[in-house]
């Protein structure tokens, strides 16, 4: 109970009607002053207006004199000390006083909507609004309304009115408790943030009480004043925290308008996110021949429609009506922006990538930190394929953690997947070397994250591979005699095996595996050659430039690994030629040439000839021995470094041709050659000027001019060699054989013997991968021979 309500006493008016205060706790001690009112039924409009004016006049007089007439409520100015003590803390007494009542607006008749202006003016002087000091008005209460004076206007019974008053009393009491609870929570929160004591300083409390006392004398209490007493200034700490959360969007750069538009049939069209992403994939091949291939376009459109919304599928039905040019222009702009980056920006990106490598690019094997080859999974895109791959144009879907299998040690810490995801599986298989595995969506092949080629596991495998090839060198003579004898075998299976092995040995063909034509490209190897892949000529030219024809010529034309076309004409032994004719009898296109042979059977036979021998070992042996023989033949010890490197590249090119390591001519090849030609012209001009200067030079100047002339002439020679080298290698990939088939010790030994810097031949990748070979060869006193 509030201090004010404890002083109220019960009173009753002459009619027996009881009037309550705003909280409904006790009855107000003032009686309602009755004044007869004209009924609307028997009074004229003029009489009603006259009565209303008279009442308003009486109200104003009562307000000016401070009278308690007309049932107005006047709160007490002071509270007793005892009631203040009962409420506990000093600082809470003021807040409780303000909770005694809460002004509330009620509907009245039009004649009683406003209070007199005199009382309003006085209240405004005391900084209180009319609403703050105005007592609650109830429909059944007698205030300034004529309704309460004439019971005939109200249909509400006495019992219903009392029942409603009781409910109103309970409601107000509940509101009071809820308000006190909120105020206490607010105090606790403020005290915690400011880290202040619970007790308020006595001196400040006195000032507050004094101020409150003056206010209550001057004016009626209001809920707003009580709130001001309880509410405290938020702490500086809180204000600071709130300021940090403010989004100062006006200080940000305005985002550019979306100027990259996809068009269909000439009209702009907003695509869904997935459909738009796929559109960017296709925009990336607009300048490539893929966009002109029917198979590519058909496959892309089929997969693209799968990710479209229903509305997009209904509208986008023809790829030819799709306009991706704006997306293509945007992608080119972004590439140019990346190229135009400053050194600082590029360095920052490089540092970020190096930081990622330190976290994700290391695996611990037997306590040693080893580099991981590539820890980044290929992003989604469009599958291009090579040659005429039947699945070109299909969409490669995004790989998620749920698709990935993790392989790590039992005692190691399992890598955490991205938040909200989980790995497909976690294994502890030490019989394999991969760390992660997943299945890509286009070909259904397993993809792996492996250790870096410079790691111990990879290095040991490479070393064993090349050592096995070196052992084959000692036994190759006997193996060749064996398959030559088998050319005449009465058993067809053995004849086919011997003939296939002959091609694997002489032409370094891959073994080949059986594949489902509908699921992958029509690529073949030696064992899977078909009737249509070869042609036989009793005599023919091997090349268009040849002047003479050769006997027993076989023409090969098929798609090899990665759909790279293998086309070659070779002269073979007479017995091999006859065997091929025999194998092709009664066969047609689509039939296997070696129908009694497969890769597994062939490798099993090779292992019986030499431990560890497979078809791949023949390829490694032939690549290595070819390079070594060509280097001995082409290298001139008297040449300069540039000429020696040209000789090395020519030897390497023979290996690439043998292994069919072809590549498409670069789009920028012609431009590059034009620039090189211009450099040669400019250098020739400089050499000519230096030569003229040398003729006219005398004394010390002549020696200086001679050095300049020699230097420029050497530079011109290097440029000419570079032009020759580029032209010869425009369709040959030298890196593959150097990285995977040629014993690296042959190259290191050649550089050591002819004093050629190793970095001129081996890139950083080669030097890291073949660290073992470099160390073995450079530290040995003996010259390495394969």
């Amino acid at each position: 109970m509030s201090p004010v309500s404890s002083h109220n006493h019960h009173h009753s008016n002459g009619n027996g009607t009881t009037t309550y205060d705003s909280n409904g706790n006790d009855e107000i001690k003032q009686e309602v002053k009755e004044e007869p009112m004209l009924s609307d039924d028997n009074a004229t409009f003029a009489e009603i207006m006259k009565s209303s004016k008279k009442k308003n006049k009486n109200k104003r007089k009562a307000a000016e004199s401070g009278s308690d007439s007309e049932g107005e409520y006047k709160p007490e100015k002071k509270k007793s000390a005892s009631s203040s003590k009962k409420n506990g803390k000093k600082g809470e007494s003021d807040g409780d006083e303000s909770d005694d009542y809460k002004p509330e607006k009620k509907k009245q008749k039009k004649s009683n909507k406003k209070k007199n202006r005199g009382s309003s003016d006085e209240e405004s002087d005391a900084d209180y609004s009319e609403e703050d000091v105005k007592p609650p008005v109830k429909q059944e209460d007698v205030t300034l309304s004529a309704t309460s004076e004439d019971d005939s206007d109200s249909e509400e019974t006495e019992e219903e009115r009392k029942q409603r008053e009781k409910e109103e009393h309970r409601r107000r009491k509940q509101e009071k408790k809820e308000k006190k609870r909120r105020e206490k929570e607010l105090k606790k929160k403020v005290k915690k943030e400011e880290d202040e004591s619970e007790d308020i300083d006595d001196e400040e409390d006195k000032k507050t009480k004094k101020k409150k006392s003056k206010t209550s004398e001057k004016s009626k209490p209001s809920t707003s004043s009580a709130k001001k007493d309880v509410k405290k200034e938020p702490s500086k700490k809180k204000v600071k925290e709130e300021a940090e959360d403010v989004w100062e969007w006006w200080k940000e750069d305005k985002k550019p308008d979306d100027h990259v538009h996809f068009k269909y049939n000439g009209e702009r069209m907003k695509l869904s996110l997935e459909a738009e992403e796929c559109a960017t994939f296709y925009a990336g091949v607009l300048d490539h021949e893929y966009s002109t291939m029917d198979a590519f376009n058909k496959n892309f459109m089929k997969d693209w429609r799968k990710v479209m919304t229903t509305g997009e599928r209904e509208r986008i039905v023809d790829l030819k009506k799709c306009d991706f040019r704006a997306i293509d222009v945007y992608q080119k702009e972004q590439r140019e922006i990346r190229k135009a980056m400053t050194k600082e920006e590029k360095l920052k990106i490089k540092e970020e990538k190096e930081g990622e490598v330190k976290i994700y690019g290391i695996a611990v094997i037997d306590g040693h930190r080893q580099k991981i080859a590539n820890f980044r999974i290929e992003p989604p895109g469009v599958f291009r394929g090579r040659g005429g791959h039947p699945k070109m144009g299909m969409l490669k879907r995004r790989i998620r953690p749920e698709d990935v299998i993790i392989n790590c040690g039992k005692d190691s810490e399992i890598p955490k997947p991205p938040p909200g995801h989980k790995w497909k599986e976690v294994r502890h298989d030490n019989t394999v070397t991969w760390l992660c595995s997943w299945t890509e969506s286009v070909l259904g092949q397993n993809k792996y994250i492996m250790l870096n080629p410079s790691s111990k596991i990879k290095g040991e495998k490479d070393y064993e591979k090349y050592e096995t090839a070196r052992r084959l060198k000692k036994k190759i003579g006997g193996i060749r005699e064996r398959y030559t004898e088998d050319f005449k075998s009465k058993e067809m299976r053995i004849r086919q095996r011997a003939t296939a092995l002959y091609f694997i040995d002489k032409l370094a063909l891959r073994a080949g595996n059986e594949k489902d034509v509908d699921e992958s490209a029509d690529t073949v190897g030696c064992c899977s050659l078909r009737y249509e892949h070869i042609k036989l000529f009793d005599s023919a030219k091997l090349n268009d430039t040849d002047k003479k024809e050769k006997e027993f010529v076989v023409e090969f034309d098929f798609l090899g690994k990665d759909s790279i076309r293998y086309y070659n004409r070779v002269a073979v032994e007479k017995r091999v030629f006859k065997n091929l004719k025999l194998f092709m009898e009664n066969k047609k296109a689509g039939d296997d040439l070696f129908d009694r042979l497969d890769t597994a059977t062939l490798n099993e036979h090779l292992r019986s000839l030499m431990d560890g021998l497979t078809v791949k070992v023949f390829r490694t042996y032939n690549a290595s021995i070819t390079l070594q023989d060509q280097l001995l033949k082409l290298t001139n010890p008297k040449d300069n470094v540039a000429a020696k490197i040209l000789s090395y590249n020519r030897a390497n090119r023979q290996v690439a041709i043998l292994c069919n390591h072809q590549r498409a001519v670069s789009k920028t090849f012609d431009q590059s050659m034009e620039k090189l030609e211009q450099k040669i012209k400019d250098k020739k001009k400089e050499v000519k000027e230096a030569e003229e200067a040398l003729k006219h030079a005398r004394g010390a100047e002549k020696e200086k001019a001679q050095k300049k002339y020699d230097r420029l002439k050497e530079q011109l020679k290097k440029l000419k060699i570079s032009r020759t080298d580029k032209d010869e290698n425009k369709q040959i990939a030298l890196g593959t054989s150097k990285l995977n088939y040629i014993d690296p010790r042959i190259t290191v030994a050649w550089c050591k013997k002819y004093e050629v810097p190793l970095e001129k031949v081996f890139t950083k990748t080669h030097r890291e991968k073949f660290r073992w070979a470099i160390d073995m060869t450079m530290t040995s006193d003996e010259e390495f021979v394969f």
Side-chain angles (χ1 to χ4, degrees):
M1 182 184 293
S2 65
V4 175
S5 64
S6 65
H7 292 282
N8 292 332
H9 300 281
H10 179 272
H11 287 275
S12 177
N13 59 24
N15 296 328
T17 303
T18 304
T19 307
Y20 293 86
D21 70 351
S22 61
N23 288 320
N25 294 327
D26 291 333
E27 302 142 274
I28 298 175
K29 58 184 177 181
Q30 299 295 334
E31 293 183 357
V32 177
K33 195 171 184 178
E34 291 185 356
E35 181 174 284
M37 179 180 175
L38 293 173
S39 173
D40 291 343
D41 298 328
N42 54 14
T44 65
F45 179 79
E47 288 173 331
I48 293 172
M49 291 300 294
K50 185 176 181 181
S51 175
S52 177
K53 287 179 181 179
K54 184 178 180 182
K55 289 176 186 176
N56 290 338
K57 187 176 181 181
N58 290 337
K59 284 185 260 176
R60 286 196 294 272
K61 287 180 180 180
E64 290 172 0
S65 61
S67 174
D68 293 334
S69 62
E70 297 296 320
E72 289 182 353
Y73 168 68
K74 185 175 182 181
E76 293 179 346
K77 293 181 180 179
K78 294 183 180 179
K79 62 182 183 295
S80 65
S82 62
S83 64
S84 180
K85 289 178 182 178
K86 287 179 182 179
N87 285 283
K89 297 179 183 179
K90 296 178 181 180
E92 294 179 357
S93 62
D94 295 337
D96 292 338
E97 182 182 356
S98 66
D99 292 335
D100 289 343
Y101 72 94
K102 185 175 182 181
E104 181 177 318
K105 293 181 179 180
K106 293 289 181 179
K107 292 183 180 178
Q108 298 179 2
K109 289 190 177 181
K110 291 182 181 180
S111 60
N112 299 307
K113 282 182 180 179
K114 296 181 180 179
K115 282 186 177 284
N116 57 67
R117 298 183 182 276
S119 61
S120 297
D121 294 337
E122 288 179 5
E123 290 161 1
S124 64
D125 293 338
D127 294 332
Y128 289 100
S129 65
E130 180 184 358
E131 188 176 332
D132 287 335
V133 298
K134 184 172 66 178
V137 179
K138 299 181 182 179
Q139 288 182 358
E140 72 276 17
D141 288 346
V142 180
T143 56
L144 299 176
S145 173
T147 308
S148 62
E149 297 181 81
D150 192 352
D151 294 334
S152 63
D153 292 344
S154 175
E155 297 179 0
E156 187 176 29
T157 64
E158 186 71 10
E159 291 181 0
E160 289 175 344
R161 181 182 58 75
K162 286 183 178 181
Q163 181 65 26
R164 184 161 50 78
E165 287 174 351
K166 287 180 182 180
E167 290 176 358
E168 186 73 3
H169 172 68
R170 285 195 295 269
R171 184 181 66 78
R172 291 181 182 279
K173 202 170 183 179
Q174 185 65 27
E175 287 179 353
K176 176 183 171 183
K177 289 181 180 179
E178 182 64 17
K179 185 175 181 181
K180 287 175 74 175
R181 184 185 65 78
R182 288 198 300 268
E183 287 176 349
K184 286 181 180 180
E185 288 180 355
L186 180 62
K187 283 184 179 182
K188 288 180 181 179
K189 188 175 181 181
V190 172
K191 285 178 182 180
K192 186 178 180 180
E193 291 173 345
E194 295 179 341
D195 197 19
E196 295 178 348
S197 61
E198 291 183 7
D199 295 327
I200 301 174
D201 190 89
D202 292 338
E203 186 176 345
E204 287 197 8
D205 185 68
K206 288 177 182 178
K207 290 179 180 178
T208 306
K209 284 180 68 179
K210 187 176 180 181
K211 185 178 179 182
K212 192 69 182 177
S213 179
K214 288 180 180 179
T215 306
S216 61
E217 287 176 4
K218 192 174 183 180
S219 171
K220 297 178 183 180
S222 69
T223 54
S224 62
S225 64
K227 289 177 182 176
K228 288 177 183 177
D229 287 27
V230 175
K231 193 173 181 180
K232 295 185 179 181
E233 288 283 326
S235 65
K236 292 181 179 180
K237 182 178 179 182
K238 185 177 181 181
V239 172
K240 187 177 180 181
E241 289 176 356
E242 288 178 354
E244 289 176 354
D245 292 336
V246 173
W247 184 3
E248 296 180 344
W249 51 267
W250 57 89
K251 294 182 180 179
E252 296 179 357
D253 294 334
K254 188 177 179 181
K255 291 184 178 179
D257 295 333
D258 186 8
H259 63 283
V260 184
H261 301 284
F262 167 78
K263 290 183 180 180
Y264 184 75
N265 202 19
E267 297 179 0
R268 288 184 180 180
M269 182 175 177
K270 181 67 176 177
L271 297 174
S272 59
L273 288 178
E274 281 192 87
E276 186 178 63
E277 184 182 42
C278 295
T280 63
F281 299 156
Y282 192 87
V285 299
L286 285 182
D287 296 335
H288 199 280
E289 62 180 350
Y290 285 117
S291 61
T292 63
M293 296 180 179
D294 292 336
F296 186 92
N297 292 331
K298 182 180 178 181
N299 289 333
F300 173 78
M301 191 63 178
K302 183 179 178 181
D303 277 10
W304 190 24
R305 287 177 59 81
K306 291 178 183 178
V307 302
M308 290 181 185
T309 63
T310 304
E312 289 169 345
R313 277 195 294 270
E314 290 175 355
R315 186 174 178 185
I316 303 174
V317 294
D318 188 356
L319 187 63
K320 293 179 180 178
K321 295 182 180 179
C322 297
D323 188 349
F324 303 94
R325 287 177 295 178
I327 303 174
D328 181 37
V329 170
Y330 172 76
Q331 290 178 333
K332 289 176 179 176
E333 288 174 354
Q334 293 303 305
R335 282 196 290 268
E336 292 302 319
I337 290 172
R338 287 193 293 271
K339 288 179 182 178
M341 282 182 178
T342 62
K343 289 183 178 179
E344 291 75 14
E345 290 173 331
K346 290 179 180 178
L347 182 62
K348 186 178 179 181
I349 294 173
K350 184 180 179 182
E351 289 174 351
E352 289 175 355
K353 288 184 176 181
E354 288 175 351
E356 290 177 350
V357 171
K358 290 179 181 178
I359 299 172
Y360 306 107
I362 300 295
V364 179
I365 308 293
D366 296 335
H368 295 276
R369 291 169 61 84
Q370 300 279 277
K371 288 183 180 180
I372 295 174
N374 183 16
F375 54 84
R376 294 179 177 88
I377 288 180
E378 187 180 12
V382 60
F383 177 70
R384 300 188 181 188
R386 294 182 180 177
H389 202 291
K391 292 193 173 185
M392 62 167 60
M394 293 181 68
L395 295 175
K396 295 182 288 185
R397 69 177 182 85
R398 181 174 278 101
I399 303 300
R400 303 191 181 278
E402 287 74 13
D403 303 317
V404 178
I405 300 173
I406 300 292
N407 187 32
C408 60
K410 291 182 179 180
D411 300 329
S412 65
E413 182 180 352
I414 298 172
K416 294 181 180 179
H421 294 274
K422 61 180 181 179
W423 303 121
K424 179 180 180 180
E425 184 184 346
V426 177
R427 294 183 186 175
H428 309 292
D429 188 356
N430 60 2
T431 62
V432 296
T433 59
W434 55 266
L435 307 175
C436 297
S437 174
W438 67 92
T439 304
E440 57 92 23
S441 60
V442 176
L443 301 177
Q445 296 177 344
N446 290 331
K447 297 288 184 178
Y448 303 97
I449 288 179
M450 312 285 283
L451 290 172
N452 190 279
S454 62
S455 65
K456 178 190 174 185
I457 292 175
K458 290 288 186 179
E460 284 180 338
K461 284 196 169 184
D462 282 343
Y463 176 75
E464 291 172 3
K465 177 176 70 174
Y466 295 122
E467 285 298 300
T468 303
R470 290 183 75 192
R471 286 191 288 115
L472 176 59
K473 180 184 176 182
K474 299 176 181 177
K475 295 191 175 184
I476 191 65
I479 292 172
R480 285 171 177 168
E481 288 179 2
R482 173 74 179 269
Y483 68 63
T484 302
E485 291 176 1
D486 289 340
F487 287 160
K488 302 175 183 179
S489 175
K490 293 181 180 179
E491 193 174 346
M492 183 63 71
R493 177 180 62 86
I494 296 176
R495 275 198 184 192
Q496 288 188 3
R497 185 184 68 194
T499 305
L501 193 53
Y502 170 83
F503 288 129
I504 288 170
D505 182 21
K506 296 295 183 183
L507 305 178
L509 296 180
R510 290 184 175 87
N513 296 292
E514 293 181 4
K515 295 182 180 179
D516 189 342
V517 178
D518 296 330
E519 293 297 325
S520 62
D522 184 20
T523 58
V524 297
C526 185
C527 297
S528 52
L529 286 170
R530 298 196 298 274
Y531 176 88
E532 65 269 23
H533 292 146
I534 66 168
K535 290 181 180 179
L536 304 179
F537 301 94
D538 291 331
S539 63
K541 292 182 179 180
L542 300 182
N543 299 297
D544 295 335
T545 56
D546 291 346
K547 294 180 180 180
K548 293 183 179 180
E549 293 184 346
K550 291 194 174 183
E551 292 183 328
F552 312 124
V553 174
V554 180
E555 179 184 284
F556 292 88
D557 191 358
F558 59 89
L559 292 180
K561 185 180 179 182
D562 295 327
S563 297
I564 296 176
R565 182 189 181 195
Y566 181 90
Y567 178 82
N568 193 14
R569 278 188 176 186
V570 292
V572 299
E573 294 183 18
K574 185 177 180 180
R575 176 54 63 181
V576 172
F577 190 81
K578 286 185 176 180
N579 282 343
L580 290 174
K581 273 190 173 182
L582 180 63
F583 301 156
M584 294 176 73
E585 285 181 1
N586 302 321
K587 290 182 181 178
K588 60 183 184 301
D591 293 339
D592 289 332
L593 181 65
F594 301 111
D595 54 345
R596 310 284 179 91
L597 184 68
D598 57 57
T599 306
T601 304
L602 182 58
N603 280 328
E604 185 179 352
H605 170 68
L606 292 176
R607 283 192 292 271
S608 68
L609 300 177
M610 189 189 91
D611 186 35
L613 181 61
T614 63
V615 174
K616 287 184 178 180
V617 178
F618 274 93
R619 194 171 173 82
T620 303
Y621 163 76
N622 279 300
S624 297
I625 202 69
T626 299
L627 180 72
Q628 183 169 272
D629 292 344
Q630 289 293 316
L631 286 175
L632 290 172
K633 180 181 178 182
L634 299 173
T635 307
N636 184 354
K638 296 180 180 180
D639 285 342
N640 58 19
V641 173
K644 289 176 181 175
I645 293 172
L646 177 62
S647 298
Y648 179 87
N649 287 341
R650 282 175 170 169
N652 193 7
R653 183 161 50 253
Q654 294 302 315
V655 177
I657 292 171
L658 175 70
C659 297
N660 196 39
H661 292 154
Q662 300 180 38
R663 66 176 179 183
V665 179
S666 172
K667 292 180 182 179
T668 59
F669 177 77
D670 292 336
Q671 296 177 359
S672 178
M673 290 298 289
E674 286 177 6
K675 289 180 180 179
L676 190 55
E677 288 289 351
Q678 187 60 44
K679 285 182 180 180
I680 292 173
K681 288 180 181 179
D682 294 341
K683 193 60 66 176
K684 283 180 177 180
K685 187 177 180 181
E686 290 180 21
V687 171
K688 191 174 182 180
E689 291 174 354
E691 188 178 9
E692 289 294 325
L694 179 61
K695 290 179 179 179
H696 297 90
R698 296 290 182 271
E701 290 294 326
K702 188 172 184 178
E703 185 179 352
K704 188 177 180 180
Q706 183 68 45
K707 287 182 179 180
K708 184 179 180 180
Y709 173 74
D710 292 340
R711 185 179 70 254
L712 291 172
K713 201 172 182 181
E714 185 68 21
Q715 290 174 354
L716 178 61
K717 188 177 181 180
K718 285 182 180 179
L719 287 172
K720 288 180 177 180
I721 291 171
S722 178
R723 178 180 60 186
T724 304
D725 199 23
K726 275 192 173 185
D727 184 61
E728 291 177 352
N729 294 325
K730 63 183 177 182
Q731 288 183 288
I732 301 295
L734 302 180
T736 306
S737 56
K738 195 190 299 184
L739 197 64
N740 298 307
Y741 293 105
I742 299 171
D743 191 322
R745 291 171 290 185
I746 299 172
T747 301
V748 177
W750 179 82
C751 289
K752 180 182 177 182
K753 180 179 180 181
Y754 295 104
E755 298 180 347
V756 176
L758 189 61
E759 57 270 18
K760 295 287 186 180
V761 181
F762 272 175
T763 64
K764 184 180 179 181
T765 302
H766 289 103
R767 295 196 299 272
E768 286 182 354
K769 179 178 181 179
F770 300 132
R771 190 177 288 117
W772 59 270
I774 296 170
D775 183 68
M776 284 181 182
T777 309
M778 289 295 188
T779 56
S780 176
D781 295 333
E782 296 182 6
E783 181 182 350
F784 176 82
V785 177
F786 182 79

